[in-house]
């Protein structure tokens, strides 16, 4: 089990040896585990902040927080969930799964891999330490619009800027590693169009990361120089433009939202065929649709800014481009349904989460299409309708996707099975809680409730109470999930079969369970009668 | 399906939803009020609501088809009923069909959206122009033609926010001076901001436009129905973002003209009152209650009612160096504010008397006991 038994001197204290092992590991499986653990820890911290927000919004009036602290919670919740929970979780899954799926012995750049993980704890310590500083944590929303975040930002904004820089470095390095691994380390015979969909979606995500994260780095650097070095990028009185900030931010921000969903598409595309016992329908169109979504993601950023003052021609362009995204997204959903069609389905926990993913992500997609229509967007923009929309895409999308992946591959990773009955309870309570939390937000938004407000008109009280009750339940399901995972790892039934799931296909299922620390040291042989090869011939 | 056919499907679905909700004890009007986008009171707001219905209807119909197929297959093709899975996994014609059909539906949705948008963006030929200037956390309305202007502040008492008294129907949606506009006239709004970005939104007009410092955005409305319409700031603008309501009172044209005349007279009277105020010496007992009122309305949200402040950005006034230091420094801070912070310049917002009173109040409250009385004349001379 010990990775560097040879390199670590034997006389060290066991605790130090343990810490050094995890600090210095270059093994993709161990780094994957580190990423997943960090993501889960930050998911709890970000979730606790959401609980504070929902507690405050349980009733109108100020109950538990002061407005400034509330804004800090809203800001940190968003930043931590985006950069601390979803993105590291996906990088963790990529670390674990990409080498196994393409038959590589490890990631292409193992030391870089270690480095890109260990940047993250420092980045989040910087960000979270701002809570204890004079003037409080960043309080300007995760979108940190200038000049609220520049001229008017609290002193801790500089820690936030440095933290975001570090997160960006980590993401870019991680993305380079995934991309280089996929492009160079595939087993012989594993052509690009034989790669599993999860690998494809991560390859495309890696491109998005490398293109988008430097733009974010540019935005926060301009903020820093505006704050301290006398520039006026975003300061109108110095000849700058506050709206420029929004253009730069959303040029990063829109690809970012696909960074947070494409790997989820990949996960659903692995799990649904397994439990439908039928090949993924339309493999090639799935790949092409993903590429189309990724390309479109770079020309739709303006749809976040329709109310910021935009000429008619630009509004029309961004509206049409945004509506167009519905086409490849629709193709993906239709392909998943066609994969299930006339299969032979069973509904173990991973399948439940994958199906929940498809249905609820689609609901979020629908509201996304509605938001694209500029005249209607003037009514939806910056209301709880938007909050409902992106939580439908992110929670049942990114989070359900990650949970589906954990249930699906945990037996392969650990050699132990989770408790199926508890897994099903987890799925159903989470599904009820997600809908109870986020569905009423559509209505409070339509009724006129702006987002990011600490207090609201009594007209919105009923919907907010429902959302808060749902959020409390949703918080409890996380504890259940933690219990299920810990129980599986400590006392779960041992899995001996390499296959684990009878319908599963892919190289990872040819390895014994649990997967040995070093796998595919000799490249596997890709079967010529592999389904995709047959598809290639046809 | 014909256009009417689609409309019928949407209408039927809407009816069905309403019936379900009516069964659960909601009246039909209440259902529309609670679950629908607001219809509003302008032609544009009604077209926007219609667009919302169209897109929601399309989503619901597509959702029923797709989710219907999913639930059917999950039921019919589960292993116990369908033990042997089919082998198919690719079909180019099917992929083409489900690429083209959504594209056509999208084009169908883009047409009404485009025509509505072109009309919304037509800011030409206004009858009246109002310059809306946002600042933390209030609106200033300037009638460009009539040359009158005033601030519009939250009027909900702090005690209601702190749950000490009952909340009214218009809780946090109430202001001291609403924007007043006439019916049946095209009112153009020019939006800008003095500090951070705010956003001016009245749902019943379907007007939402960001107020960006250093830039001017345009929007317009034409309201047919007199009444009071309420909205809120919709761009996070700092601590009291939630407490920045927009209230618009729409008056019939003749009443509006009379209101403008009243405002002119009131401005003249205020000028005379100011002259009278600064031409006599005020006592501590006169200034303190006025100062307390002004303090609670304008200062207490940041500095708190007991002057304790909230950290370094909103410093305490109790035992403060400025409040207990020379009077000139205190007057300067209140009148001119601190650049690039939430501490604004109050000189343009408050009368000489109110500034004198609030400074007097601050210097003799929260444990501060300077004994200083600031006269309106002193404030006038500092302007």
């Amino acid at each position: 089990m010990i990775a560097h038994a040879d390199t670590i001197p034997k006389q060290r204290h066991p605790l130090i040896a343990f810490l050094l092992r995890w600090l210095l590991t270059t093994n993709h499986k161990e780094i994957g585990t580190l990423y997943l653990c960090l993501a889960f820890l930050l998911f709890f911290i970000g979730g606790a902040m959401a609980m504070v927000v929902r507690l405050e919004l349980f009733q109108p009036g100020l109950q538990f927080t002061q407005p400034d602290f509330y804004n800090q919670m809203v800001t940190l919740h968003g930043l931590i969930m985006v950069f601390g929970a979803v993105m590291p979780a996906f990088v963790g899954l990529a670390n674990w799964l990409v080498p196994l799926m393409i038959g590589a012995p490890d990631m292409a750049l193992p030391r870089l891999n270690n480095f890109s993980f260990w940047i993250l704890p420092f980045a989040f310590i910087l960000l979270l330490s701002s809570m204890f500083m004079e003037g409080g944590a960043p309080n300007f929303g995760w979108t940190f619009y200038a000049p609220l975040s520049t001229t008017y930002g609290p002193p801790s904004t500089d820690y936030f800027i440095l933290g975001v820089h570090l997160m960006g470095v980590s993401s870019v390095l991680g993305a380079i590693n995934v991309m280089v691994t996929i492009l160079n380390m595939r087993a012989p015979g594993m052509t690009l169009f034989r790669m599993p969909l999860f690998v494809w979606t991560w390859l495309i995500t890696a491109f998005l990361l490398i293109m988008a994260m430097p733009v974010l780095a540019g935005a926060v650097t301009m903020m820093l120089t505006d704050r301290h070095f006398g520039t006026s990028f975003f300061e109108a009185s110095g000849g700058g433009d506050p709206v420029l900030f929004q253009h730069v931010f959303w040029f990063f921000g829109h690809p970012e939202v696909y960074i947070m969903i494409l790997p989820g598409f990949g996960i659903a595309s692995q799990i649904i065929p397994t439990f439908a016992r039928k090949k993924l329908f339309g493999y090639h169109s799935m790949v092409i649709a993903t590429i189309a979504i990724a390309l479109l993601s770079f020309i739709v950023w303006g749809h976040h800014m329709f109310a910021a003052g935009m000429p008619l021609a630009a509004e029309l362009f961004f509206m049409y481009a945004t509506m167009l995204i519905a086409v490849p997204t629709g193709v993906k959903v239709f392909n998943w349904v066609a994969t299930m069609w006339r299969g032979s389905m069973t509904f173990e926990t991973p399948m439940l989460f994958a199906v929940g993913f498809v249905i609820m992500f689609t609901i979020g997609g629908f509201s996304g299409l509605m938001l694209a229509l500029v005249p209607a967007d003037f009514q939806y923009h910056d209301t709880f309708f938007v909050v409902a929309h992106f939580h439908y895409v992110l929670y049942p999308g990114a989070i359900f996707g990650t949970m589906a992946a954990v249930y699906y591959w945990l037996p392969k990773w650990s050699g132990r099975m989770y408790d199926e009955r508890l897994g099903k309870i987890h799925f159903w309570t989470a599904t009820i809680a997600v809908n109870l939390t986020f569905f009423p937000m559509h209505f409070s938004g339509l009724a006129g409730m702006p987002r990011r407000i600490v207090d609201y008109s009594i007209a919105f009280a009923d919907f907010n109470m429902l959302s808060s009750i749902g959020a409390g339940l949703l918080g409890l399901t996380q504890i259940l999930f933690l219990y299920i995972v810990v129980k599986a790892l400590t006392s779960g039934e041992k899995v001996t079969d390499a296959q684990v799931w009878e319908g599963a296909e892919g190289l990872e299922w040819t390895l014994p369970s649990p997967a040995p620390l070093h796998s595919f040291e000799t490249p596997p042989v890709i079967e010529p009668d592999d389904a995709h090869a047959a598809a290639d011939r046809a | 399906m014909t256009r009417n056919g689609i409309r019928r499907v949407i209408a039927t679905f809407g009816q069905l939803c309403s019936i379900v909700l009516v069964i659960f004890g909601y009246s039909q009007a209440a259902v529309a009020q609670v679950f629908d986008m607001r219809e509003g009171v302008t032609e544009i707001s009604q077209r926007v609501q219609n667009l919302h219905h169209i897109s929601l209807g399309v989503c619901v119909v597509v959702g029923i088809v797709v989710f219907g197929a999913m639930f059917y297959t999950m039921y019919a093709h589960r292993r116990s009923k369908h033990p042997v899975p089919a082998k198919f996994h690719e079909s180019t014609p099917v992929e083409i069909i489900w690429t083209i059909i959504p594209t056509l539906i999208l084009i169908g949705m883009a047409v009404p959206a485009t025509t509505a948008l072109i009309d919304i963006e037509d800011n030409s030929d206004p009858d009246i122009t109002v310059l809306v200037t946002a600042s933390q956390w209030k609106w200033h309305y300037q009638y460009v033609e009539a040359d009158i202007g005033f601030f519009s502040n939250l009027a909900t008492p702090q005690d209601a926010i702190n749950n000490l008294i009952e909340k009214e129907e218009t809780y946090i949606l109430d202001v001291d001076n609403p924007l007043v506009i006439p019916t049946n006239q095209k009112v153009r709004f020019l939006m800008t901001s003095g500090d951070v970005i705010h956003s001016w939104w009245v749902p019943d007009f379907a007007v939402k436009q960001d107020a960006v410092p250093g830039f001017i955005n345009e929007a317009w409305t034409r309201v047919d129905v007199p009444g009071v319409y309420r909205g809120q700031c919709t761009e996070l603008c700092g601590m009291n973002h939630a407490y920045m309501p927009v209230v618009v009172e729409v008056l019939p044209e003749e009443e509006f003209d009379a209101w403008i005349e009243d405002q002119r007279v009131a401005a003249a009277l205020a000028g005379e009152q100011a002259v009278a105020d600064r031409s006599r010496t005020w006592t501590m007992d006169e200034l303190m209650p006025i100062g307390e009122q002004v303090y609670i309305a304008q200062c207490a949200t940041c500095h708190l009612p007991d002057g304790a402040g909230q950290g370094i950005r909103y410093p305490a006034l109790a035992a403060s160096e400025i409040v207990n230091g020379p009077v000139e420094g205190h007057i300067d801070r209140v009148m001119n504010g601190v650049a690039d912070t939430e501490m604004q310049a109050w000189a343009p917002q408050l009368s000489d008397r109110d500034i004198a009173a609030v400074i007097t109040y601050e210097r003799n409250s929260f444990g501060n006991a300077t004994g200083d009385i600031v006269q309106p004349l002193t404030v006038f001379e500092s302007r």
Side-chain angles (χ1 to χ4, degrees):
Chain A
M1 274 298 279
I2 290 175
H4 299 285
D6 314 334
T7 54
I8 296 169
K10 296 275 187 286
Q11 67 271 25
R12 284 200 204 281
H13 187 277
L15 179 69
I16 296 194
F18 173 83
L19 291 176
L20 275 181
R21 170 192 160 194
W22 286 99
L23 191 65
L24 300 176
T25 180
T26 53
N27 179 284
H28 74 101
K29 299 186 183 74
E30 292 185 336
I31 294 175
T33 304
L34 286 173
Y35 265 113
L36 288 171
C37 291
L38 178 72
F40 200 45
L41 174 68
L42 288 167
F43 183 57
F44 266 90
I45 295 174
M49 290 167 176
M51 292 299 114
V52 173
V53 168
R54 282 313 328 171
L55 201 60
E56 178 57 51
L57 294 181
F58 185 72
Q59 282 184 325
L62 293 180
Q63 341 281 340
F64 303 97
T65 65
Q66 284 301 310
D68 194 49
F69 183 70
Y70 175 88
N71 289 349
Q72 294 173 28
M73 288 293 104
V74 168
T75 305
L76 290 177
H77 165 70
L79 288 167
I80 286 174
M81 287 305 193
V82 168
F83 294 105
V86 175
M87 290 171 71
F90 281 163
V91 180
L93 292 174
N95 257 291
W96 254 104
L97 295 171
V98 166
L100 298 188
M101 287 179 163
I102 63 173
D106 203 307
M107 297 294 276
L109 307 163
R111 288 200 184 91
L112 188 75
N113 203 11
N114 173 289
F115 182 56
S116 50
F117 171 76
W118 279 110
I119 292 174
L120 279 184
F122 297 97
F124 285 98
I125 288 169
L126 274 179
L127 180 63
L128 287 171
S129 67
S130 64
M131 274 169 61
F132 307 102
M133 290 175 193
E134 227 186 341
N139 54 6
F140 31 66
W142 88 276
T143 51
F144 52 102
Y145 279 8
L148 187 63
S149 62
T150 51
T151 318
Y152 293 81
S156 64
T157 306
D158 302 321
Y159 288 77
F160 152 84
I161 290 173
L162 198 56
V164 167
H165 263 308
L166 289 177
M167 293 167 207
V169 170
S170 165
S171 293
V172 170
L173 296 181
I176 289 173
N177 212 345
V178 170
M179 189 187 288
V180 173
T181 305
I182 295 173
L183 293 179
N184 292 293
M185 309 240 331
R186 298 191 309 278
M190 173 70 77
T191 62
L192 283 177
F193 275 96
R194 285 183 201 164
M195 296 194 309
L197 240 285
F198 179 76
V199 180
W200 256 115
T201 53
W202 239 109
L203 178 63
I204 295 161
T205 303
F207 273 97
L208 288 182
L209 278 165
I210 288 173
M211 290 180 66
M213 296 310 285
V215 180
L216 176 67
V220 293
T221 305
M222 287 191 271
M223 271 176 74
L224 190 70
T225 61
D226 266 14
R227 283 170 61 82
H228 296 294
F229 306 115
T231 59
S232 297
F233 291 108
F234 310 131
E235 179 59 50
S237 60
D241 182 353
V243 178
L244 170 68
F245 174 86
Q246 298 180 23
H247 283 288
V248 177
F249 179 83
W250 287 114
F251 189 83
F252 144 81
H254 205 80
E256 169 69 18
V257 308
Y258 292 107
I259 288 165
M260 292 191 286
I261 196 63
L262 294 187
F265 287 169
I267 291 162
S269 304
Q270 301 298 131
I271 292 176
I272 291 175
T274 296
F275 295 95
R277 293 169 183 78
K278 189 161 155 284
K279 292 236 174 303
L280 182 69
F281 187 87
Y283 172 87
H284 286 91
S285 76
M286 284 299 234
V287 172
I288 292 164
T290 313
I291 294 172
I293 291 171
L295 290 177
L296 284 171
S297 77
F298 283 102
I299 57 164
V300 296
W301 78 89
H303 69 216
H304 298 271
M305 304 164 52
F306 286 143
M310 195 182 264
L312 176 64
E315 285 177 329
L316 289 175
F317 170 80
F318 285 121
M319 173 167 76
Y320 298 148
T322 305
M323 293 174 81
L324 214 50
I325 293 183
V327 175
T329 312
V331 166
K332 295 196 80 92
V333 173
F334 300 145
N335 277 330
W336 286 320
V337 178
T339 305
M340 295 159 76
W341 195 259
R342 293 182 53 218
S344 180
M345 272 176 275
T346 50
F347 296 94
E348 288 85 346
T349 308
M351 180 64 163
L352 287 176
F353 272 96
V355 171
F357 167 95
V358 173
I359 292 175
M360 286 183 275
F361 168 78
T362 306
I363 293 174
F366 283 145
S367 53
L369 176 61
M370 295 169 73
L371 281 158
L373 303 173
V374 185
D377 182 73
F378 287 137
Q379 294 286 57
Y380 307 136
H381 177 76
D382 260 339
T383 69
F384 261 76
F385 191 84
V386 177
V387 180
H389 158 70
F390 67 73
H391 279 97
Y392 259 90
V393 189
L394 278 170
Y395 200 99
I399 304 296
F400 267 32
T402 306
M403 285 175 171
V406 169
Y407 280 114
Y408 184 59
W409 280 291
L410 189 69
K412 175 57 65 188
W413 298 338
S414 67
R416 286 176 185 272
M417 197 52 152
Y418 62 88
D419 184 327
E420 187 61 56
R421 196 175 60 92
L422 286 180
K424 287 201 164 90
I425 292 172
H426 174 212
F427 169 76
W428 286 111
T429 48
T431 301
I432 291 167
V434 162
N435 287 293
L436 190 57
T437 309
F438 299 120
F439 209 77
M441 290 181 185
H442 290 113
F443 301 123
S444 44
L446 287 175
M449 180 171 169
R451 64 191 283 206
R452 293 168 166 167
I453 54 175
V454 63
D455 194 358
Y456 51 85
S457 151
I458 50 174
F460 316 132
D462 294 350
F463 289 130
N464 275 283
M465 193 174 278
L466 282 179
S467 287
S468 288
I469 293 168
L473 185 60
L474 196 53
L476 291 179
T477 65
Q478 314 311 335
I479 295 166
L480 177 61
F481 181 59
L482 176 66
Y483 172 74
I484 293 170
V485 171
V486 170
K487 183 172 175 238
L489 293 179
T490 51
S491 62
E493 193 187 324
K494 284 219 162 67
V495 176
T496 45
D497 191 5
Q499 185 63 29
V500 183
W501 310 107
E502 57 159 291
E505 284 193 9
L507 288 175
E508 73 268 34
W509 307 110
T510 63
L511 293 170
S513 305
L517 192 63
H518 297 286
S519 45
F520 295 128
E521 283 167 290
T522 18
V525 182
I526 309 297
E527 300 279 334
D529 63 350
D530 174 85
H532 298 320
D536 285 347
R537 281 197 303 274
Chain B
M1 215 185 309
T2 63
R3 210 181 153 135
N4 277 336
I6 295 172
R7 285 236 172 101
R8 229 175 1 254
V9 170
I10 294 167
T12 313
F13 178 78
Q15 291 284 325
L16 271 176
C17 292
S18 317
I19 290 168
V20 171
L21 291 162
V22 168
I23 292 169
F24 283 102
Y26 288 91
S27 78
Q28 202 142 355
V31 170
Q33 237 172 19
V34 171
F35 295 97
D36 201 357
M37 179 188 275
R38 295 204 223 175
E39 185 186 9
V41 287
T42 66
E43 188 223 334
I44 293 292
S45 73
Q46 282 151 16
R47 281 170 72 184
V48 168
Q49 192 207 31
N50 194 35
L51 191 62
H52 168 72
H53 289 164
I54 293 171
S55 62
L56 179 62
V58 167
C59 291
V60 166
V61 171
V62 173
I64 288 172
V65 172
V66 174
F67 299 149
M70 260 181 100
F71 283 111
Y72 169 77
T73 188
M74 286 194 286
Y75 172 77
H77 306 139
R78 64 190 198 274
R79 185 156 63 173
S80 54
K81 288 193 82 174
H82 196 255
V84 183
K87 293 270 178 234
F88 68 89
H89 61 84
E90 204 142 36
S91 164
T92 309
V94 168
E95 300 282 354
I96 291 172
I97 289 169
W98 65 39
T99 305
I100 289 177
I101 291 180
T103 310
L104 294 177
I105 295 175
L106 291 176
I107 293 171
M109 290 163 74
V111 172
T114 304
T115 53
L117 184 60
I118 289 170
D119 291 341
I120 289 172
E121 291 294 332
D122 176 15
N123 293 298
S124 59
D125 301 325
D127 298 310
I128 300 181
T129 300
V130 181
L131 174 65
V132 180
T133 309
S135 60
Q136 286 174 326
W137 294 278
K138 57 174 70 83
W139 302 96
H140 182 268
Y141 300 115
Q142 182 76 32
Y143 293 74
V144 174
E145 291 88 355
D147 196 28
I148 50 175
F150 53 86
F151 283 92
S152 181
N153 287 290
L154 177 78
T156 302
Q158 194 68 32
D159 282 352
I161 292 169
N162 292 328
N163 310 309
L164 300 172
I165 56 170
E166 192 82 357
K167 293 181 175 56
E168 291 172 24
E169 196 76 7
T170 55
Y171 173 69
I172 73 165
L173 298 178
D174 224 359
V175 294
D176 49 3
N177 304 305
L179 173 68
V180 178
I181 59 171
T183 51
N184 301 317
Q185 292 204 15
K186 183 166 183 175
V187 182
R188 179 173 63 154
F189 304 107
L190 301 176
M191 314 272 182
T192 190
S193 168
D195 40 46
V196 300
I197 300 175
H198 303 264
S199 192
W200 194 86
W201 183 34
V202 179
D204 286 325
F205 303 167
V207 171
K208 183 184 287 150
Q209 189 69 61
D210 286 4
V212 181
F215 291 80
I216 292 178
N217 281 329
E218 278 184 302
W220 67 273
T221 192
R222 184 195 295 275
V223 187
D224 307 326
V225 193
V228 178
Y229 303 102
R230 295 166 201 277
Q232 280 181 272
C233 175
T234 40
E235 182 66 64
L236 178 60
C237 57
M239 189 167 72
N240 288 333
H241 168 50
Y243 302 116
M244 196 173 161
V246 175
V247 181
V248 182
E249 191 176 354
V250 181
L251 295 177
E253 281 172 79
E254 322 78 69
E255 284 181 41
F256 175 76
D257 294 339
W259 177 83
I260 288 279
E261 210 39 54
D262 285 352
Q263 294 308 108
R264 287 221 179 90
V265 173
L269 285 178
E272 284 169 28
Q273 183 63 44
V275 173
D277 285 346
R278 64 175 177 258
S279 57
R280 71 179 180 89
T281 304
W282 293 62
T283 66
M284 176 85 84
D285 290 343
E286 284 175 310
L287 287 173
M288 286 297 276
I290 302 171
E292 184 174 8
Q293 269 176 22
V294 176
Y295 182 82
I296 293 297
Q298 309 287 357
C299 317
T301 48
C302 294
H303 296 290
L304 298 190
D306 60 357
Q310 303 182 62
I312 49 170
R313 287 194 78 81
Y314 313 105
L317 300 185
S320 145
E321 275 180 32
I322 291 172
V323 175
N324 292 290
V327 178
E328 296 72 33
H330 193 178
I331 293 177
D332 173 64
R333 175 58 52 97
V334 173
M335 290 183 69
N336 302 317
V338 183
D340 296 343
T341 68
E342 290 88 331
M343 182 61 196
Q344 7 191 305
W346 292 94
Q349 305 187 35
L350 298 176
S351 67
D352 297 342
R353 186 201 68 173
D354 286 355
I355 293 176
V358 81
I359 294 173
T360 305
Y361 174 74
E362 287 172 0
R363 297 181 79 81
N364 296 291
S365 308
F366 327 127
N368 304 329
T370 58
D372 296 331
I373 305 170
V374 178
Q375 295 297 333
L377 182 63
T378 320
V379 175
F380 175 74
E381 283 164 351
S382 313
R383 279 187 191 266

